[in-house]
Amino acid sequence: MRIKAPRPLVVSFRGPEGPYSLRFTPNVGDWGGIVEVDIAGAALRWPVNRIDRDEEGRLILSGMTATKEIWNDSFWFEAIVEPPPGQITYWGNRVIWRTDEGT
């Protein structure tokens, strides 16, 4: 179920490039926000286009990456940010490219 933006939050993950954190900032009075991520030394900002709570009550942030600097491509991401430890899945052309586990 789609919900309004939650409070700011930080969630940590581990991927092939090493550990990284996703810092979410909501848009004021909106349904979306921005995540700031630093992966392999590249500082990235991704828009959060959708915020949901699934049937299990998990909080999920979704949107498009802008990662040409490190991955030479863009992906749809779905980050389970609550409850911890969470996970983030990256999709390309309707196929899961990879899933990074929360720490």
PDB file of all heavy atoms in Angstrom, residues 2-9 24-34 48 50-52 59 61:
ATOM      1  N   ARG A   2       0.634   2.158  -0.896  1.00  0.00           N
ATOM      2  CA  ARG A   2       1.415   3.381  -1.000  1.00  0.00           C
ATOM      3  C   ARG A   2       1.133   4.281   0.201  1.00  0.00           C
ATOM      4  O   ARG A   2      -0.012   4.425   0.617  1.00  0.00           O
ATOM      5  CB  ARG A   2       1.075   4.109  -2.293  1.00  0.00           C
ATOM      6  CG  ARG A   2       2.015   5.237  -2.571  1.00  0.00           C
ATOM      7  CD  ARG A   2       1.847   5.752  -3.966  1.00  0.00           C
ATOM      8  NE  ARG A   2       2.895   6.732  -4.190  1.00  0.00           N
ATOM      9  CZ  ARG A   2       2.905   7.565  -5.178  1.00  0.00           C
ATOM     10  NH1 ARG A   2       1.949   7.542  -6.076  1.00  0.00           N
ATOM     11  NH2 ARG A   2       3.879   8.423  -5.297  1.00  0.00           N
ATOM     12  N   ILE A   3       2.203   4.876   0.755  1.00  0.00           N
ATOM     13  CA  ILE A   3       2.064   5.750   1.915  1.00  0.00           C
ATOM     14  C   ILE A   3       2.851   7.038   1.691  1.00  0.00           C
ATOM     15  O   ILE A   3       3.685   7.126   0.786  1.00  0.00           O
ATOM     16  CB  ILE A   3       2.547   5.061   3.212  1.00  0.00           C
ATOM     17  CG1 ILE A   3       4.041   4.745   3.134  1.00  0.00           C
ATOM     18  CG2 ILE A   3       1.735   3.808   3.496  1.00  0.00           C
ATOM     19  CD1 ILE A   3       4.649   4.298   4.456  1.00  0.00           C
ATOM     20  N   LYS A   4       2.587   8.036   2.550  1.00  0.00           N
ATOM     21  CA  LYS A   4       3.360   9.278   2.512  1.00  0.00           C
ATOM     22  C   LYS A   4       4.765   9.031   3.041  1.00  0.00           C
ATOM     23  O   LYS A   4       5.025   8.052   3.748  1.00  0.00           O
ATOM     24  CB  LYS A   4       2.672  10.365   3.322  1.00  0.00           C
ATOM     25  CG  LYS A   4       1.471  10.938   2.626  1.00  0.00           C
ATOM     26  CD  LYS A   4       1.029  12.208   3.313  1.00  0.00           C
ATOM     27  CE  LYS A   4      -0.028  12.867   2.466  1.00  0.00           C
ATOM     28  NZ  LYS A   4      -0.288  14.233   2.903  1.00  0.00           N
ATOM     29  N   ALA A   5       5.653   9.960   2.715  1.00  0.00           N
ATOM     30  CA  ALA A   5       7.059   9.834   3.095  1.00  0.00           C
ATOM     31  C   ALA A   5       7.231   9.753   4.604  1.00  0.00           C
ATOM     32  O   ALA A   5       6.624  10.523   5.341  1.00  0.00           O
ATOM     33  CB  ALA A   5       7.845  11.009   2.536  1.00  0.00           C
ATOM     34  N   PRO A   6       8.074   8.820   5.064  1.00  0.00           N
ATOM     35  CA  PRO A   6       8.376   8.723   6.495  1.00  0.00           C
ATOM     36  C   PRO A   6       9.414   9.781   6.890  1.00  0.00           C
ATOM     37  O   PRO A   6       9.872  10.559   6.054  1.00  0.00           O
ATOM     38  CB  PRO A   6       8.960   7.317   6.628  1.00  0.00           C
ATOM     39  CG  PRO A   6       9.635   7.098   5.321  1.00  0.00           C
ATOM     40  CD  PRO A   6       8.756   7.797   4.299  1.00  0.00           C
ATOM     41  N   ARG A   7       9.804   9.748   8.134  1.00  0.00           N
ATOM     42  CA  ARG A   7      10.864  10.632   8.630  1.00  0.00           C
ATOM     43  C   ARG A   7      12.186  10.295   7.930  1.00  0.00           C
ATOM     44  O   ARG A   7      12.326   9.211   7.358  1.00  0.00           O
ATOM     45  CB  ARG A   7      10.994  10.435  10.137  1.00  0.00           C
ATOM     46  CG  ARG A   7      11.628   9.090  10.464  1.00  0.00           C
ATOM     47  CD  ARG A   7      11.367   8.613  11.856  1.00  0.00           C
ATOM     48  NE  ARG A   7      12.002   7.357  12.149  1.00  0.00           N
ATOM     49  CZ  ARG A   7      11.709   6.179  11.604  1.00  0.00           C
ATOM     50  NH1 ARG A   7      10.782   6.093  10.685  1.00  0.00           N
ATOM     51  NH2 ARG A   7      12.341   5.075  11.955  1.00  0.00           N
ATOM     52  N   PRO A   8      13.169  11.199   8.009  1.00  0.00           N
ATOM     53  CA  PRO A   8      14.497  10.871   7.460  1.00  0.00           C
ATOM     54  C   PRO A   8      15.051   9.623   8.132  1.00  0.00           C
ATOM     55  O   PRO A   8      14.779   9.369   9.309  1.00  0.00           O
ATOM     56  CB  PRO A   8      15.341  12.099   7.808  1.00  0.00           C
ATOM     57  CG  PRO A   8      14.361  13.204   7.974  1.00  0.00           C
ATOM     58  CD  PRO A   8      13.128  12.554   8.555  1.00  0.00           C
ATOM     59  N   LEU A   9      15.810   8.839   7.384  1.00  0.00           N
ATOM     60  CA  LEU A   9      16.386   7.623   7.945  1.00  0.00           C
ATOM     61  C   LEU A   9      17.659   7.247   7.218  1.00  0.00           C
ATOM     62  O   LEU A   9      17.925   7.738   6.117  1.00  0.00           O
ATOM     63  CB  LEU A   9      15.374   6.474   7.917  1.00  0.00           C
ATOM     64  CG  LEU A   9      14.722   6.100   6.583  1.00  0.00           C
ATOM     65  CD1 LEU A   9      15.576   5.132   5.786  1.00  0.00           C
ATOM     66  CD2 LEU A   9      13.376   5.477   6.855  1.00  0.00           C
ATOM     67  N   PHE A  24      17.908   8.660   3.459  1.00  0.00           N
ATOM     68  CA  PHE A  24      16.649   9.121   2.871  1.00  0.00           C
ATOM     69  C   PHE A  24      16.227  10.452   3.481  1.00  0.00           C
ATOM     70  O   PHE A  24      16.216  10.607   4.707  1.00  0.00           O
ATOM     71  CB  PHE A  24      15.545   8.091   3.103  1.00  0.00           C
ATOM     72  CG  PHE A  24      14.182   8.579   2.696  1.00  0.00           C
ATOM     73  CD1 PHE A  24      13.839   8.707   1.357  1.00  0.00           C
ATOM     74  CD2 PHE A  24      13.251   8.926   3.655  1.00  0.00           C
ATOM     75  CE1 PHE A  24      12.587   9.164   0.983  1.00  0.00           C
ATOM     76  CE2 PHE A  24      11.990   9.381   3.292  1.00  0.00           C
ATOM     77  CZ  PHE A  24      11.662   9.505   1.952  1.00  0.00           C
ATOM     78  N   THR A  25      15.861  11.397   2.613  1.00  0.00           N
ATOM     79  CA  THR A  25      15.283  12.681   3.025  1.00  0.00           C
ATOM     80  C   THR A  25      13.956  12.824   2.303  1.00  0.00           C
ATOM     81  O   THR A  25      13.919  12.803   1.060  1.00  0.00           O
ATOM     82  CB  THR A  25      16.211  13.852   2.655  1.00  0.00           C
ATOM     83  OG1 THR A  25      17.488  13.639   3.242  1.00  0.00           O
ATOM     84  CG2 THR A  25      15.632  15.175   3.127  1.00  0.00           C
ATOM     85  N   PRO A  26      12.849  12.969   3.053  1.00  0.00           N
ATOM     86  CA  PRO A  26      11.540  13.101   2.389  1.00  0.00           C
ATOM     87  C   PRO A  26      11.368  14.485   1.770  1.00  0.00           C
ATOM     88  O   PRO A  26      11.966  15.463   2.219  1.00  0.00           O
ATOM     89  CB  PRO A  26      10.552  12.899   3.540  1.00  0.00           C
ATOM     90  CG  PRO A  26      11.306  13.298   4.761  1.00  0.00           C
ATOM     91  CD  PRO A  26      12.753  12.965   4.508  1.00  0.00           C
ATOM     92  N   ASN A  27      10.547  14.550   0.723  1.00  0.00           N
ATOM     93  CA  ASN A  27      10.101  15.833   0.201  1.00  0.00           C
ATOM     94  C   ASN A  27       9.078  16.379   1.185  1.00  0.00           C
ATOM     95  O   ASN A  27       8.284  15.619   1.739  1.00  0.00           O
ATOM     96  CB  ASN A  27       9.438  15.674  -1.174  1.00  0.00           C
ATOM     97  CG  ASN A  27      10.419  15.254  -2.243  1.00  0.00           C
ATOM     98  OD1 ASN A  27      11.614  15.484  -2.134  1.00  0.00           O
ATOM     99  ND2 ASN A  27       9.908  14.637  -3.281  1.00  0.00           N
ATOM    100  N   VAL A  28       9.073  17.664   1.393  1.00  0.00           N
ATOM    101  CA  VAL A  28       8.131  18.272   2.339  1.00  0.00           C
ATOM    102  C   VAL A  28       6.707  18.098   1.824  1.00  0.00           C
ATOM    103  O   VAL A  28       6.391  18.488   0.701  1.00  0.00           O
ATOM    104  CB  VAL A  28       8.456  19.765   2.550  1.00  0.00           C
ATOM    105  CG1 VAL A  28       7.418  20.416   3.446  1.00  0.00           C
ATOM    106  CG2 VAL A  28       9.850  19.920   3.133  1.00  0.00           C
ATOM    107  N   GLY A  29       5.845  17.461   2.648  1.00  0.00           N
ATOM    108  CA  GLY A  29       4.440  17.285   2.308  1.00  0.00           C
ATOM    109  C   GLY A  29       4.192  16.465   1.062  1.00  0.00           C
ATOM    110  O   GLY A  29       3.204  16.655   0.373  1.00  0.00           O
ATOM    111  N   ASP A  30       5.093  15.556   0.738  1.00  0.00           N
ATOM    112  CA  ASP A  30       4.986  14.821  -0.512  1.00  0.00           C
ATOM    113  C   ASP A  30       5.011  13.321  -0.265  1.00  0.00           C
ATOM    114  O   ASP A  30       5.150  12.845   0.852  1.00  0.00           O
ATOM    115  CB  ASP A  30       6.140  15.222  -1.442  1.00  0.00           C
ATOM    116  CG  ASP A  30       5.862  14.934  -2.903  1.00  0.00           C
ATOM    117  OD1 ASP A  30       4.817  14.346  -3.224  1.00  0.00           O
ATOM    118  OD2 ASP A  30       6.701  15.289  -3.720  1.00  0.00           O
ATOM    119  N   TRP A  31       4.908  12.593  -1.330  1.00  0.00           N
ATOM    120  CA  TRP A  31       4.922  11.135  -1.290  1.00  0.00           C
ATOM    121  C   TRP A  31       6.283  10.560  -1.639  1.00  0.00           C
ATOM    122  O   TRP A  31       6.457   9.359  -1.672  1.00  0.00           O
ATOM    123  CB  TRP A  31       3.883  10.592  -2.265  1.00  0.00           C
ATOM    124  CG  TRP A  31       2.493  10.942  -1.866  1.00  0.00           C
ATOM    125  CD1 TRP A  31       1.858  12.134  -2.089  1.00  0.00           C
ATOM    126  CD2 TRP A  31       1.568  10.128  -1.162  1.00  0.00           C
ATOM    127  NE1 TRP A  31       0.596  12.101  -1.561  1.00  0.00           N
ATOM    128  CE2 TRP A  31       0.384  10.872  -1.001  1.00  0.00           C
ATOM    129  CE3 TRP A  31       1.610   8.844  -0.665  1.00  0.00           C
ATOM    130  CZ2 TRP A  31      -0.731  10.364  -0.356  1.00  0.00           C
ATOM    131  CZ3 TRP A  31       0.506   8.336  -0.033  1.00  0.00           C
ATOM    132  CH2 TRP A  31      -0.662   9.098   0.120  1.00  0.00           C
ATOM    133  N   GLY A  32       7.255  11.390  -1.930  1.00  0.00           N
ATOM    134  CA  GLY A  32       8.561  10.900  -2.364  1.00  0.00           C
ATOM    135  C   GLY A  32       9.681  11.504  -1.550  1.00  0.00           C
ATOM    136  O   GLY A  32       9.486  11.999  -0.448  1.00  0.00           O
ATOM    137  N   GLY A  33      10.870  11.471  -2.127  1.00  0.00           N
ATOM    138  CA  GLY A  33      12.036  12.023  -1.465  1.00  0.00           C
ATOM    139  C   GLY A  33      13.281  11.761  -2.280  1.00  0.00           C
ATOM    140  O   GLY A  33      13.220  11.451  -3.471  1.00  0.00           O
ATOM    141  N   ILE A  34      14.413  11.856  -1.620  1.00  0.00           N
ATOM    142  CA  ILE A  34      15.725  11.653  -2.231  1.00  0.00           C
ATOM    143  C   ILE A  34      16.524  10.724  -1.337  1.00  0.00           C
ATOM    144  O   ILE A  34      16.448  10.829  -0.104  1.00  0.00           O
ATOM    145  CB  ILE A  34      16.486  12.995  -2.367  1.00  0.00           C
ATOM    146  CG1 ILE A  34      15.764  13.941  -3.315  1.00  0.00           C
ATOM    147  CG2 ILE A  34      17.934  12.789  -2.796  1.00  0.00           C
ATOM    148  CD1 ILE A  34      15.814  13.534  -4.767  1.00  0.00           C
ATOM    149  N   VAL A  48      13.334   9.078  -4.961  1.00  0.00           N
ATOM    150  CA  VAL A  48      12.429   8.039  -4.462  1.00  0.00           C
ATOM    151  C   VAL A  48      11.060   8.371  -5.031  1.00  0.00           C
ATOM    152  O   VAL A  48      10.475   9.395  -4.712  1.00  0.00           O
ATOM    153  CB  VAL A  48      12.392   7.993  -2.920  1.00  0.00           C
ATOM    154  CG1 VAL A  48      11.333   7.013  -2.435  1.00  0.00           C
ATOM    155  CG2 VAL A  48      13.760   7.617  -2.379  1.00  0.00           C
ATOM    156  N   ARG A  50       8.401   6.129  -5.099  1.00  0.00           N
ATOM    157  CA  ARG A  50       7.301   5.394  -4.483  1.00  0.00           C
ATOM    158  C   ARG A  50       7.719   4.930  -3.095  1.00  0.00           C
ATOM    159  O   ARG A  50       8.844   4.475  -2.893  1.00  0.00           O
ATOM    160  CB  ARG A  50       6.940   4.206  -5.363  1.00  0.00           C
ATOM    161  CG  ARG A  50       5.672   3.545  -4.972  1.00  0.00           C
ATOM    162  CD  ARG A  50       5.197   2.552  -6.003  1.00  0.00           C
ATOM    163  NE  ARG A  50       4.093   1.851  -5.412  1.00  0.00           N
ATOM    164  CZ  ARG A  50       2.816   2.187  -5.561  1.00  0.00           C
ATOM    165  NH1 ARG A  50       2.497   3.181  -6.331  1.00  0.00           N
ATOM    166  NH2 ARG A  50       1.862   1.523  -4.964  1.00  0.00           N
ATOM    167  N   ILE A  51       6.784   5.039  -2.140  1.00  0.00           N
ATOM    168  CA  ILE A  51       7.004   4.578  -0.770  1.00  0.00           C
ATOM    169  C   ILE A  51       5.812   3.697  -0.402  1.00  0.00           C
ATOM    170  O   ILE A  51       4.663   4.122  -0.556  1.00  0.00           O
ATOM    171  CB  ILE A  51       7.122   5.770   0.194  1.00  0.00           C
ATOM    172  CG1 ILE A  51       8.276   6.686  -0.249  1.00  0.00           C
ATOM    173  CG2 ILE A  51       7.323   5.277   1.623  1.00  0.00           C
ATOM    174  CD1 ILE A  51       8.300   8.018   0.436  1.00  0.00           C
ATOM    175  N   ASP A  52       6.095   2.486   0.028  1.00  0.00           N
ATOM    176  CA  ASP A  52       5.039   1.511   0.307  1.00  0.00           C
ATOM    177  C   ASP A  52       5.258   0.816   1.640  1.00  0.00           C
ATOM    178  O   ASP A  52       6.383   0.731   2.126  1.00  0.00           O
ATOM    179  CB  ASP A  52       5.019   0.426  -0.774  1.00  0.00           C
ATOM    180  CG  ASP A  52       4.650   0.949  -2.131  1.00  0.00           C
ATOM    181  OD1 ASP A  52       3.453   1.144  -2.370  1.00  0.00           O
ATOM    182  OD2 ASP A  52       5.561   1.171  -2.960  1.00  0.00           O
ATOM    183  N   LEU A  59       8.629  -1.384   5.303  1.00  0.00           N
ATOM    184  CA  LEU A  59       8.706  -0.090   4.630  1.00  0.00           C
ATOM    185  C   LEU A  59       9.648  -0.217   3.443  1.00  0.00           C
ATOM    186  O   LEU A  59      10.805  -0.628   3.599  1.00  0.00           O
ATOM    187  CB  LEU A  59       9.205   0.980   5.600  1.00  0.00           C
ATOM    188  CG  LEU A  59       9.366   2.387   5.027  1.00  0.00           C
ATOM    189  CD1 LEU A  59       8.037   2.946   4.519  1.00  0.00           C
ATOM    190  CD2 LEU A  59       9.968   3.305   6.084  1.00  0.00           C
ATOM    191  N   LEU A  61      11.229   1.703  -0.073  1.00  0.00           N
ATOM    192  CA  LEU A  61      11.480   2.883  -0.894  1.00  0.00           C
ATOM    193  C   LEU A  61      11.882   2.416  -2.275  1.00  0.00           C
ATOM    194  O   LEU A  61      12.723   1.521  -2.416  1.00  0.00           O
ATOM    195  CB  LEU A  61      12.616   3.723  -0.307  1.00  0.00           C
ATOM    196  CG  LEU A  61      12.521   4.131   1.159  1.00  0.00           C
ATOM    197  CD1 LEU A  61      13.771   4.902   1.565  1.00  0.00           C
ATOM    198  CD2 LEU A  61      11.275   4.943   1.416  1.00  0.00           C
TER     199      LEU A  61
END
